[in-house]
Amino acid sequence: LDEPIEARNASLPDLMVHGGRCAGISADGIQVSGDLFLREGARIVGAIRLVGAHIAGNLELGGVEIINTAGPALDLNGIQVDGNVFLRQGVQITGNGGDGAVDLVCARIGKDLEFTDSEITNGTGSAVRADRVRVDGALFLFGEARFAGGDDAPAVSINGARSTNMGVTLDGA
């Protein structure tokens, strides 16, 4: 798709993208009563914006590439996910700017936040910006999880983060 998918303030039972290429997803305020999956070779050239969204199940990115040269590639600012957030299976995310390649500021995650075999880069800011994130489970970094920030920004920023299980597991990361 040459234009972004727009689903702002939509209400859906599930949202699943398998493979293909599109110019971004703009779904601020979306309500998903099940899971949101992006998998199996999907290539997004543009931002995935889920600002202020609510996902009752899991948010999972597996085997996808997201590239945005004009800001965060994965903008989850203020999102609420009742289940887990998984970024795994070769996820490659490249963003640009001070808001991070992945923006999880003020996000609420009901279970675990897991980065496995993923690469997140930002040449002009943090790779992951998760200030004031709330995770009710744990933060896991498994396999070849790599984070690279630029311009003297920390690779991962979690200022003011809260978790009921603040342990971080580093397994080969």
Side-chain angles (χ1 to χ4, degrees), residues 21-25 42-48 61 64-74 91-96 101 119 121:
R21 178 186 163 129
C22 75
I25 298 173
R43 185 165 197 260
I44 313 296
V45 180
I48 295 178
L61 281 70
V64 301
E65 180 181 19
I66 308 166
I67 301 167
N68 186 16
T69 59
L74 184 59
V91 166
Q92 294 181 334
I93 299 174
T94 305
N96 190 34
E119 183 175 339
T121 59

Side-chain angles (χ1 to χ4, degrees), residues 36-123:
L36 192 155
F37 294 140
L38 298 163
R39 293 185 178 157
E40 300 169 13
R43 185 165 197 260
I44 313 296
V45 180
I48 295 178
R49 286 185 48 94
L50 301 171
V51 174
H54 179 224
I55 299 169
N58 294 325
L59 170 60
E60 180 179 332
L61 281 70
V64 301
E65 180 181 19
I66 308 166
I67 301 167
N68 186 16
T69 59
L74 184 59
D75 194 344
L76 306 176
N77 193 304
I79 195 170
Q80 179 178 336
V81 179
D82 296 343
N84 298 294
V85 175
F86 298 124
L87 284 82
R88 53 181 154 180
Q89 298 170 332
V91 166
Q92 294 181 334
I93 299 174
T94 305
N96 190 34
D99 291 331
V102 175
D103 183 353
L104 282 161
V105 170
C106 294
R108 292 189 61 207
I109 300 168
K111 294 185 180 174
D112 296 332
L113 173 58
E114 177 185 310
F115 295 90
T116 303
D117 297 328
S118 51
E119 183 175 339
I120 302 171
T121 59
N122 182 350

